[in-house]
Amino acid sequence: MASPVGLYEHVRSNHWRSLKLFAGFLLAFHLMSAALLTPLLIVIDAAHLPLLGRASYLARYFLPVSATGAVLFGLRYWWHVSAVHRETGFRYVDGTDEPRLVRLIEPLILAAGVRRPFLGVIESPALNAFAVGVRDDHMVVVVTRGLIEGLDDEELEAVLAHELIHIRCRDTRLMAAANAFIGNLQWLHQRGWNGRKLEEGRSITGLVLLPMFIPVVLLMTFFSQLAFRIGYFSRAAIGSAREFIADAEAVRLTQNPAALTSALRKIDGHDRIADMAESHDAMLISGAVSGPNATHPSIAHRIAALIQTTGPAMAYAPSRRDTRPSEQRERDDLRRANDKDLLSEITSASRPSFWQIFRQTRDPELDLFGLSRRARRALLVCVTGAAALWGGSWYMTGQALGFQETREMANAAWLGARCQLHGAEKIVGGGAIPAECSEEFAQKEADMARAALAANIASRQRQEEQQKAQRDAAYRANRCFPFTLKPWDQRLSSGGESSTDLGYYRRWAEQPIEGVEVPPVAGETNADGLIDYMDMRLLMADAAAYWFGQQGLDTLHDALSTPRHQRALSAFRIALRKPNFASHFERTSSHPRDVRLLAAMPDASPCDFQKKQGTFIAL
């Protein structure tokens, strides 16, 4: 914004520029809606994903989203005064309750040419005021108790004139609309994906297991943060311009710039109303000037603008009217405007530019993607965990994401973004959507992608089955099983633990076999007894080979070659042919694959034992 030259430059109509800024709210709402809809569209309509879908998201969802936004906006806008009344707790007053306030505002109402507004008071020691309303017959000017008691008559008149100008210029409606838009953005943000949710443990786990969604999450958080920045900037830009206009018009109404300057100085630093929501700052005569909730230019900028446009009139500040009780005047320790050299303010007599307002509304705790420092650490954990999990899987299986697949993904994303632009052109009356962006083409591409994915999955399954068959063939050729509980790279010397000797394996083999020779223990069946027996044979073979080498295996095999153990082994093989037993075995056995190998090859030894001896033959 260019610096104003005269008083009438501040008063010039600003409606058209404000309406253009409201386009920012519409854009912000659609960006936030896109972030909210993305997870749902991934499931039900992936062809129309924002930026990623080849069929245009805007062509299908622009009108429904706009209609939904219009309904939400209308509800918030119509009930704006009731919501402010409920949330701020102001009390309606009249001449009986506040005679001084009514006496000062009545001449200003006539001079401003507005319908008589209602008056309200907030019982707070803060110095602040606001005007609220969306209908001409229900406008309200609200002041705090601290403002009434802290300002003299002319200062209070200047503040009341400022608020009446907001009513006359219909600023109350503009700010009600701005707050309604911001409320809709916040409502969508709470229900959609945002950077805060990335800090949750379940989100981290999900992204580690499904890392392909990390770019989608970043796209959603970027949309969400961009929507907030555009929305808050639009509100701050509208509010900043309106405050300068209201200050200038109030001066013209009261013919007393020194009184308004003095009032603004007293308000500065004493304007915070306890327990008042930050969303109402835009209505106040003094609100936040930095951070994402910034709604006002600074008091220094406003005073400097008044000094620059009123010139010598600012220095004319005689003793002003003050009808407050003497005890209130004595308590007033706030400075007057003429207590300080006004010329020192001229150096800052410039209105903030759009870029300055945009920077003022930036949340310093969040980055461009709306992520806090903690969320960025969580994202790093996701990326690291996914790289470790899937990188290790690719390393072990030999399946890696090649350059061709990466290039195809990038080309698809670029084409999707172009198709969204073509969809936007169609909405505003542009040309037709290219063939590669049509729904028919997108559906055909999606079908081909699904077919390719299914073929790839089937190919990997066949490859895995072939690898499994090769491993099983190697195990059978070497008459070994891969299971072991022993650290073969640190194998101890023959002889084992002091409490274990070769007789331990003979004594175990002489015990009755549960489920075959004796009933199973309570709570188990004969099938459970057979499964426990085979699991134990596997453990004994592993331990005997580790502690005693070939001697231990020979001792165990001799002990298990008796008819009673042969009958138990035969019973297990016959039971495996029955589907019910086989499924129960797969569920309850500790190592079903290895037990099956041992049942087929009773003299099998651990494969690691053979590898240690150098006798294992890899196929």
Side-chain angles (χ1 to χ4, degrees), residues 377-389:
R377 288 198 295 264
L379 182 63
L380 180 61
V381 171
C382 293
V383 174
T384 304
L389 176 64

Side-chain angles (χ1 to χ4, degrees), residues 23-44:
F25 285 121
L26 182 61
L27 174 61
F29 183 81
H30 274 278
L31 288 173
M32 191 70 74
S33 299
L36 177 64
L37 289 174
T38 294
L40 180 63
L41 294 182
I42 289 175
V43 178
I44 66 173

Side-chain angles (χ1 to χ4, degrees), residues 127 146 149-151 155 262-263 265-268 270 324 331-337 339:
L127 277 67
E149 297 180 354
L151 302 185
E155 292 167 340
S262 177
R265 279 187 168 163
K266 287 185 177 182
I267 290 171
D268 191 18
H270 302 85
R324 291 177 293 173
R331 287 201 307 266
D332 184 6
D333 58 350
L334 302 173
R335 297 176 300 173
R336 293 180 177 271
D339 290 340

Side-chain angles (χ1 to χ4, degrees), residues 575-595:
L576 274 181
R577 301 171 190 167
K578 302 176 181 179
N580 291 340
F581 179 87
S583 61
H584 179 63
F585 166 69
E586 292 292 337
R587 292 194 307 269
T588 59
S589 175
S590 301
H591 310 282
R593 179 187 61 173
D594 301 276
V595 170

Side-chain angles (χ1 to χ4, degrees), residues 351-422:
R351 298 168 68 181
S353 65
F354 274 98
W355 174 244
Q356 289 173 325
I357 295 174
F358 184 77
R359 288 183 58 84
Q360 288 172 358
T361 55
R362 182 180 66 86
D363 190 339
E365 296 182 359
L366 302 179
D367 61 13
L368 186 62
F369 292 94
L371 303 180
S372 63
R373 180 177 299 179
R374 182 177 177 182
R376 289 194 292 271
R377 288 198 295 264
L379 182 63
L380 180 61
V381 171
C382 293
V383 174
T384 304
L389 176 64
W390 293 99
S393 174
W394 286 331
Y395 176 79
M396 295 175 64
T397 62
Q399 298 293 329
L401 187 65
F403 173 77
Q404 182 65 26
E405 290 84 355
T406 305
R407 186 175 63 179
E408 290 178 358
M409 291 172 59
N411 290 338
W414 173 244
L415 179 58
R418 287 169 49 203
C419 290
Q420 305 309 318
L421 293 177
H422 286 299

Side-chain angles (χ1 to χ4, degrees), residues 263-553:
L264 290 175
R265 279 187 168 163
K266 287 185 177 182
I267 290 171
D268 191 18
H270 302 85
D271 55 358
R272 181 61 181 163
I273 303 176
D275 301 326
M276 188 170 182
E278 293 180 344
S279 59
H280 298 314
D281 267 6
M283 304 181 303
L284 302 174
I285 190 172
S286 177
V289 299
S290 62
N293 293 308
T295 55
H296 286 64
S298 68
I299 294 293
H301 275 132
R302 293 166 66 180
I303 292 176
L306 288 173
I307 293 172
Q308 188 183 52
T309 55
T310 60
M314 183 64 68
Y316 180 71
S319 298
R320 292 192 291 270
R321 299 191 319 274
D322 195 346
T323 59
R324 291 177 293 173
S326 58
E327 60 272 15
Q328 290 183 8
R329 291 199 299 270
E330 293 172 358
R331 287 201 307 266
D332 184 6
D333 58 350
L334 302 173
R335 297 176 300 173
R336 293 180 177 271
N338 56 359
D339 290 340
K340 184 179 179 181
D341 182 10
L342 298 182
L343 294 179
S344 63
E345 301 284 357
I346 297 179
T347 57
S348 59
S350 61
R351 298 168 68 181
S353 65
F354 274 98
W355 174 244
Q356 289 173 325
I357 295 174
F358 184 77
R359 288 183 58 84
Q360 288 172 358
T361 55
R362 182 180 66 86
D363 190 339
E365 296 182 359
L366 302 179
D367 61 13
L368 186 62
F369 292 94
L371 303 180
S372 63
R373 180 177 299 179
R374 182 177 177 182
R376 289 194 292 271
R377 288 198 295 264
L379 182 63
L380 180 61
V381 171
C382 293
V383 174
T384 304
L389 176 64
W390 293 99
S393 174
W394 286 331
Y395 176 79
M396 295 175 64
T397 62
Q399 298 293 329
L401 187 65
F403 173 77
Q404 182 65 26
E405 290 84 355
T406 305
R407 186 175 63 179
E408 290 178 358
M409 291 172 59
N411 290 338
W414 173 244
L415 179 58
R418 287 169 49 203
C419 290
Q420 305 309 318
L421 293 177
H422 286 299
E425 292 176 359
K426 182 180 179 181
I427 291 175
V428 298
I433 296 179
E436 64 269 20
C437 296
S438 66
E439 292 193 29
E440 293 78 9
F441 186 85
Q443 187 62 46
K444 181 180 178 181
E445 289 287 301
D447 293 340
M448 293 175 58
R450 280 193 291 268
L453 178 62
N456 185 37
I457 293 175
S459 175
R460 291 195 177 189
Q461 289 177 341
R462 288 194 299 269
Q463 187 176 7
E464 290 175 358
E465 290 174 357
Q466 292 174 356
Q467 292 175 349
K468 180 178 179 298
Q470 291 176 354
R471 290 194 298 267
D472 288 344
Y475 299 149
R476 292 180 181 277
N478 289 279
R479 301 189 70 80
C480 69
F481 51 84
F483 163 79
T484 185
L485 292 178
K486 307 302 180 183
W488 289 90
D489 56 338
Q490 302 174 4
R491 187 181 174 193
L492 303 179
S493 59
S494 178
E497 296 175 326
S498 58
S499 59
T500 304
D501 54 22
L502 289 174
Y504 171 79
Y505 304 102
R506 298 191 189 97
R507 290 191 293 273
W508 172 77
E510 293 171 358
Q511 295 179 1
I513 303 174
E514 293 180 3
V516 177
E517 298 177 339
V518 296
V521 298
E524 292 189 355
T525 63
N526 289 339
D528 293 322
L530 271 178
I531 294 171
D532 291 343
Y533 167 73
M534 292 303 299
D535 282 344
M536 197 63 190
R537 282 188 68 148
L538 184 71
L539 293 172
M540 287 295 177
D542 180 46
Y546 180 78
W547 293 114
F548 298 97
Q550 190 61 49
Q551 183 183 8
L553 285 173

